[in-house]
Structure formats: C-alpha cells, structure tokens
Amino acid sequence: MKMRFLGRTCLIVLSLLPAVSTQDGSSVVGSDQPLIASPGEDVILPCHITPSLSAVNMDVRWFRQKFKIPVHLYEDQKDRTDVQDSDYQGRTDLSRLGLQEGILSLNLRNLRHTDSGVYSCYATDGVWDGQGKTELIVRALGTQPSISMDSTQGEQTRLVCRSEGWSPEPEVIWRDRDGNDVTSLSNTTVQRDSQGLLSVSSYIEIKQQSNVFSCLVRSKISKPDWESKLHISSEYHMFVD
C-alpha cells in the first residue's frame, strides 16, 4: 500500500492480489438428473471435477444434510471411516484411479429405502474448493390397493383405498364407472412406517346409485401401476376385482 499527500488530500493506492490456485476455472459437477434404483442394488453417484484435474491430494467429502457427518470422507489420501455416518459404514468407496482423473463418484452398495435423498460432493485442496449435488431415489413398488366401504350415511357412501410399502410417495387416481377421473372429490393421507416406506389411504364420498369405482395407485417415476375396482350392487354388496 502506497500513500501520497497532495495538499490537504490524502490519496491511498491499494494493490490487491487475488488468491492463487492451480484450480482457477475448475468446478465440481454432480448430476442434473436423479438416479433411480431399487433396494439391494449397487449404484455409482456421479461427480467429477471439470476440466479434468487430479484429486488424489485433495480432501473429498460426500454428505447429506450435515457437513460434519459425512457419508464418505477421503482425507490425507485415506478414507476416514472413523468419522463416517454409521448408516453407510462398509457400503461406500471412491475409486483411487478415478481420483487421478478428477472423478469423485461415490460407489454405494446394498441400497436401503432410507438412502433416498440429495447427496453433496465437496472437494478442496485447502485454497480452492467446489461442490456438486446428485439426487438418489430408491424406489419401492407398494402393495395391490384394497378398496372397502368405510361408512354409509343416508345417500352418501364413503369408500377407502389403501396401499402400503411405497417409495417415493405414489399418486392415487379414482375413476367412476364411465372412466371419468373423480380424484378431485377424494382426500388422501400418507404415513411413513419404521422402515421409511409410505402407506397411502384415499377416501372418496359417492352416491349410492353409482356402482363401479376403481382406484389406481401408481409411482410418479416408474411403472407398473396397481389398480383395484369395487362393484357395489343395488343391495350394497361389495365385490372387489
């Protein structure tokens, strides 16, 4: 910093130098599309440095909501299993050959329903750092839906459609005997069980003269769909297909 005094004016000239890093212009890139897999499968969560740059001497951290509780941590050229989230111990690794090319992708084995979520991939050399994100969806196709009569009051009958064991949350579609979509007349609730899977219960009020209703429960991301139909006779006996 240089200072010069011109009369009563104080002129200050600051010379500012940017931080020097060999990684200027590099960034960490995850995936812009969710990765979809099933329980028990092995997957690779993609992440890399672009332009290609060796990450062997960097710290690489994969984490979810909490930075300090890593899904996987590579630090000082070794895997830090002592600070790893216990839910992931023995199920993750990074490719050492991949690190030489700036590939930070995480190998995740034996998927569980609770593994679904957004994963952050962070790399730093102490001066430069970058972060990318990848979403993982561990899907589960739920049970065949069941339809039953929940209650009858006057000329109104309430039906309930139930299905369980879903991941992620499915959508429920009701149709009448003519195939018309009457989902807007229904009310659906979702509950999560101890394994992280979702159960849905959908209720709809109908007039008793209508005698055929179908309930379709389907995944928002994949097929097949599950559908059940309920036939109500004039004496209000129920038959389920």
Side-chain angles (χ1 to χ4, degrees), residues 65-233:
Q65 293 90 349
K66 298 181 179 180
F67 183 85
K68 293 185 178 181
I69 305 179
V71 170
H72 190 96
L73 176 60
Y74 171 83
E75 188 177 56
D76 297 328
Q77 298 189 20
K78 61 183 179 181
D79 296 317
R80 293 287 308 278
T81 57
D82 56 314
V83 297
Q84 184 179 26
D85 187 331
S86 59
D87 288 342
Y88 293 90
Q89 287 186 352
R91 297 198 295 135
T92 63
D93 65 74
L94 297 176
S95 168
R96 294 300 187 269
L97 291 177
L99 289 175
Q100 296 177 15
E101 303 297 327
I103 299 174
L104 314 177
S105 300
L106 181 70
N107 299 315
L108 178 57
R109 297 180 293 275
N110 191 22
L111 287 180
R112 305 169 182 173
H113 300 297
T114 53
D115 291 337
S116 290
V118 177
Y119 290 74
S120 295
C121 169
Y122 174 81
T124 181
D125 64 0
V127 177
W128 169 90
D129 65 356
Q131 180 173 309
K133 294 181 182 295
T134 295
E135 181 180 6
L136 171 64
I137 298 175
V138 182
R139 64 183 177 185
L141 182 64
T143 60
Q144 175 82 22
S146 63
I147 307 178
S148 60
M149 186 179 293
D150 184 60
S151 64
T152 300
Q153 295 180 349
E155 295 184 355
Q156 292 289 328
T157 296
R158 191 169 85 150
L159 304 179
V160 58
C161 175
R162 292 187 174 95
S163 182
E164 59 186 20
W166 289 90
S167 180
E169 181 180 335
E171 63 178 336
V172 180
I173 299 174
W174 286 93
R175 297 188 187 279
D176 64 14
R177 62 183 302 168
D178 298 317
N180 298 314
D181 189 332
V182 292
T183 308
S184 61
L185 303 178
S186 66
N187 179 39
T188 301
T189 61
V190 179
Q191 292 183 323
R192 188 179 299 276
D193 64 21
S194 59
Q195 296 182 334
L197 298 177
L198 301 173
S199 298
V200 295
S201 298
S202 185
Y203 302 85
I204 188 170
E205 291 187 354
I206 63 171
K207 292 182 179 181
Q208 291 178 349
Q209 60 264 32
S210 300
N211 61 7
V212 180
F213 276 83
S214 68
C215 172
L216 172 68
V217 183
R218 68 183 183 188
S219 171
K220 295 178 181 179
I221 60 172
S222 64
K223 293 186 176 181
D225 305 329
W226 284 128
E227 182 175 19
S228 289
K229 290 184 179 180
L230 181 67
H231 299 257
I232 306 175
S233 70

